[in-house]
């Protein structure tokens, strides 16, 4: 989610009173962090991204609370003093920050969430060698369990004050919260949403037996389990079946401890208004001018990603190289810009991967560049205004993750693009289910196909590009941001009514 | 399969005439290779293993033909002269060897079969980096297609001479044969058996789109598709569903091009008689005496594997190390013997893996060994008599593959063992479905659990060990070797009758 993006203008129609009860959101990272101003006074900064917009939008309508872990030292300090003061963001709901001791948090966050669960569900392990679960990994798991229980206790405590709210628990960091919360408040309506892919039944067996059962049991504490796509929901159902749990595939329901758990896709939309606002800031306008000058007459192939193993940056570069070798007529006439947001620098796997990507980029520039033409430009920097500017300028947007829960870049780029740019999209991105038919489809492991897709996108005639770009924008707009939360809340109410 | 194992004595009851029609078997590696004797005359040597026994046994009963690729230069030379002379093996069926030019064969065998399909179905890739499909991989795929067509043509040609036989096509090397054969002989009954795991639907997407569709279509040319376990069969059905192919999960059937394809588990049994015979050879008896002297008073933990990425040798060694660290009272009193059959030395991934395993073994010996006690002995050698001898002697048999289609070691060891040895078995070995309940179950990625399993197995009391060992032997004997082919042929006949 990050921080620092300007607040989107609130829409009075959306922000109106809701007929729903209050909502309590739980997530590892909260919607706000505090940074000191010149006088040292802590100033709240709203996080960026579609998810924060969707959840803060919902909380604005219903009132309630967002519970998250304190991140920075300043967050921790403020959190220790009580509820956070977010009045100046104009928020109609509270934010509670949980303080976890740094060592436990590191094991929970890096040791399990990022190093085990993220790797598991994105298929990132070098399986002959990793994962390997020994005593240290067990300790990390204890920390994961502990932080999840801390969340569950906080959510349960807040239940009374919020008048029996609906709980929206976010993501793989908090897989054990639903069951732990249900123990404390048996009747509470609980939805859990998994923002990343969910691995298939056989691959999930890379987790120790007891751990994977605990994870499934943890999630099955919810009434509603949400995923971005049918495919991830189906994988979850398959994993339950493989553990001998009763599943009704047709109704997408799991029978668990006398309850019925609904397992559904809720694809998250793009924050169309927030994007428009972000593109309209002075920073983004300045970045746009600068990028236009830099690009010159060349066509622009763009990627915007976290510097992340699952994003497939390496094969993307190799595909661009192969494209330049197979289509030498494009040399000097096209530039590849990779805007990579640094991520998880604490994990050595990430540092090694980024280094490998940079080495390939350098080789491509050395072997194929000439004169003033550097074919491949990599920027390793958290620079949202620049990304928003680049979205407007691309001719080809390359989104080729190996696997991705949703991938909002594939939706955000087309919303802002002004050049009828072509989306080259991995069939393994969750977004493919919604917008894949208007993109040039690639298998992310197929470097040759990806090279050919770049060539095809660049060679596509004007009408075809315009037709696809229009259709893309329409497809994105067909799924407004509010729908994601509303559909979950509606299913929660329905689940509650039926018992 | 390898070569060199003595021929099992034929059983007159089994070898009697069959009421079935003839059978034609196709596999990459044939049941026989030729080695020159002192005079330079080529002498046939029967391949080893349960599969060769099962298929030669069936062919003995029905008559027919085995079609395979020529392997050695001598094989190639003999094959070029026509049908192989296997009279001196006492075989009641022919063997035809196909000659493929070495470069094409290398691409087919190493380039696709071993490097792509084996890695795919055992989850062996380091996904952020591999696989990567470029022009070279496409060429290898062309070779794979070509060799599969060569097989299909040979099988079709032989059809007339064999009076309309039932075809039993073996394994992942020949996935495209069923469809290619059906084109040439539309009415022929064709079964295909997949001896390795079948990956889940999401993971199969590591293959380029067109390739994975071609593979599924190739296999769906069969009437019956066999796997060792329910789990692999279910994964195949899931992959079909994910490609939009109609699947009836309850009946385990796929609707394909107006036909119904049955997808069934046929677990391969152990060659109990062949094993007894192998243990009774002078070579095996000599190896037994030598191993007994070497072991002395120590308890023996054994593993017998190909030196193969999927066998999880590395984590097995790490688990043994962890066991010695957690249970120092066992130091000096237990030895780990790893009999590793060299495999696929042509692939750099294998060389690197074996080196890594040896380095760990050396470190364990250096750090934990003392005096005359070397805790971990690794033998990298194709030595079947020694394996057969070691089977008789183990106290603990460690079979911990990351994934394995079946794993016959888990069945063969218990049949020969004389010490009520305990089987420590990966939940991801196909054999687990049949014998898992009598083993100590481990998750192969869980080094701690594996270390504890070794400790538990060594500490298990005499009655419990005897009870489990008896049950294991009974479970293995409950599934006689003949059943595997007979069940496939029965299902083929049934499929044919129903049209």
């Amino acid at each position: 989610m990050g921080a620092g993006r300007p607040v989107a203008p609130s829409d009075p129609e959306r922000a109106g009173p809701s007929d729903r009860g209050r909502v309590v959101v739980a997530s590892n990272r909260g919607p706000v962090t505090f940074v000191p101003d010149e006088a040292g006074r802590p100033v709240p900064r709203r996080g960026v991204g579609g998810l924060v917009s969707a959840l803060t939008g919902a909380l604005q309508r219903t009132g309630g609370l967002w519970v998250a872990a304190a991140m920075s030292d300043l967050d921790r300090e403020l959190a220790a003093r009580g509820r956070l003061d977010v009045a100046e963001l104009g928020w109609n709901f509270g934010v509670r920050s949980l303080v976890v001791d740094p060592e436990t948090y590191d094991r929970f966050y890096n040791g399990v969430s990022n190093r085990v669960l993220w790797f598991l569900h994105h298929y990132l392990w070098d399986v002959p060698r990793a994962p390997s679960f020994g005593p240290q990994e067990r300790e990390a798991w204890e920390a994961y369990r502990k932080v999840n229980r801390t969340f569950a206790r906080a959510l349960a405590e807040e239940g009374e004050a919020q008048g029996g709210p609906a709980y929206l628990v976010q993501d793989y960091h908090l897989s054990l919260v639903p069951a732990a919360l249900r123990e404390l408040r048996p009747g509470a309506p609980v939805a859990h949403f998994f923002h990343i892919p969910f691995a298939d039944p056989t691959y999930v067996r890379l987790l120790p037996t007891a751990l994977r059962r605990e994870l499934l049991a943890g999630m099955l504490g919810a009434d509603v389990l949400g995923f971005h796509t049918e495919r991830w929901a189906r994988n979850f159902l398959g994993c339950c079946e493989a553990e001998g749990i009763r599943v009704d595939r047709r109704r997408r329901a799991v029978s668990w401890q006398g309850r019925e758990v609904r397992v559904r896709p809720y694809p998250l939309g793009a924050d169309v208004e927030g994007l428009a606002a972000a593109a309209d800031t002075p920073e983004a306008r300045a970045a746009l001018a600068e990028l236009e000058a830099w690009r010159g007459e060349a066509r622009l192939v763009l990627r915007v990603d976290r510097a992340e193993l699952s994003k497939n940056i390496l094969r993307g570069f190799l595909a661009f190289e192969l494209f330049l070798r197979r289509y030498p007529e494009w040399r000097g006439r096209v530039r590849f810009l990779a805007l990579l947001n640094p991520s998880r620098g604490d994990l050595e796997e990430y540092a090694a991967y980024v280094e490998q990507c940079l080495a390939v980029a350098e080789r491509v520039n050395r072997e194929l560049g000439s004169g003033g033409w550097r074919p491949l430009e990599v920027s390793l920097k958290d620079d949202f205004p620049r990304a928003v500017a680049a979205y407007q300028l691309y001719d080809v947007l390359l989104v080729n993750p190996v696997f991705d829960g949703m991938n909002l870049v594939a939706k955000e780029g087309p919303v802002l693009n002004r050049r009828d740019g072509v989306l080259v999209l991995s069939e393994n991105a969750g977004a493919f289910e919604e917008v894949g038919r208007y993109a040039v489809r690639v298998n992310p492991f197929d470097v040759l196909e990806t090279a050919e897709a770049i060539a095809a996108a660049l060679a596509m005639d004007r009408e075809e590009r315009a037709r696809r770009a229009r259709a893309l924008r329409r497809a994105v707009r067909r799924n407004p941001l509010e729908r994601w939360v509303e559909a979950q809340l509606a299913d929660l109410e329905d689940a509650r009514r039926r018992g």
Side-chain angles (χ1 to χ4, degrees), chain A residues 228-275:
Chain A
H228 281 304
T229 69
E230 283 283 358
R231 201 200 305 176
W232 314 138
R234 205 159 48 217
N235 282 355
F236 179 82
L237 293 173
C239 289
C240 289
E241 275 178 348
E243 294 297 334
I245 300 168
R246 217 167 81 223
V247 166
D248 183 334
R249 282 202 176 241
R250 202 182 45 78
R251 299 179 49 242
R252 293 184 297 201
V254 180
S255 298
W256 181 250
Q257 300 184 333
R259 294 179 302 110
E260 184 177 276
V261 182
R262 288 134 196 255
V263 179
R264 302 282 152 84
Y266 307 96
L268 179 62
D271 182 8
V272 173
E273 289 160 40
L275 283 166

Side-chain angles (χ1 to χ4, degrees), chain A residues 96-157:
Chain A
R96 177 172 167 187
S97 220
L98 301 179
V99 180
V100 179
D101 76 89
E103 196 180 332
T104 301
Y105 187 81
D106 178 65
R107 287 176 180 167
F108 152 80
Y109 184 64
N110 286 313
V112 173
S113 301
N114 288 345
R115 204 165 210 147
V116 173
L117 299 179
W118 179 274
F119 272 62
L120 176 74
H121 291 298
H122 290 90
Y123 298 85
L124 296 177
W125 277 309
D126 179 17
V127 172
R129 294 170 182 86
S132 185
F133 294 92
Q136 204 183 327
E137 287 74 17
R138 295 301 158 124
E139 273 176 39
W141 185 256
E142 277 303 321
Y144 182 80
R145 208 184 260 152
K146 192 171 160 193
V147 172
N148 271 259
R149 286 202 190 127
T150 303
F151 266 90
R153 269 196 307 274
L155 295 176
E157 272 167 37

